[in-house]
Amino acid sequence: MCSLCRSGLQGFDRAASFGFYDGHLRSLIHLFKYSQMRPLAGKLSQLLERALPIDDRYDAIVSVPLHWRRRWQRGFNQADLLAREVSKRRRIPVLNALRRTKATVNQSGLTSAARRLNIAGAFQPRPGVNLQGKKVLLIDDVFTTGATAGACARALKKAGAGSVSLLTLARADRRWRV
């Protein structure tokens, strides 16, 4: 468990990532996300699952939603494709429990504080969603500062989730940037 999770600052209870956001993994994520390489979802989700303990049990999987404009521009939500692949193999239902209510600027290049401000109020539970006491697995492609995942986790807990665990392909380690 990460120190951010233990401190309760992020909203999610646990976080796990397959690897660091660099080298070949970064290249694969970029091909998948920005070059319309949707078939990579299967192989990338297998890597994603390697970071998830085999005996962990969840009631639902939720992907980090894109704003409708960004989804329309990209043609798909990469986190949703990964979530659906994991769902098939783990037999955990995917719930469309969150909506992105605010278009935000791209988070890359923003400081941690700017990311939190940018994403504030961007996610809401979908009307009628009841996650009362459920153990939710939140899936995204990259974990950088945790601002996006934290905002999603807080919205999921507002809908009643008992716990929210974050699972990402890669973790960006911003401590070593020069």
Side-chain angles (χ1 to χ4, degrees), residues 15-31:
S17 298
F18 169 74
F20 286 108
Y21 187 55
D22 61 13
H24 293 301
L25 184 56
R26 182 178 182 187
S27 297
L28 284 170
I29 292 169
H30 277 237
L31 281 172

Side-chain angles (χ1 to χ4, degrees), residues 86-100:
V86 171
S87 169
K88 280 190 258 183
R89 285 192 294 279
R90 292 283 177 122
R91 295 188 174 120
I92 306 167
V94 173
L95 295 182
N96 189 10
L98 290 175
R99 61 188 177 124
R100 195 170 194 140

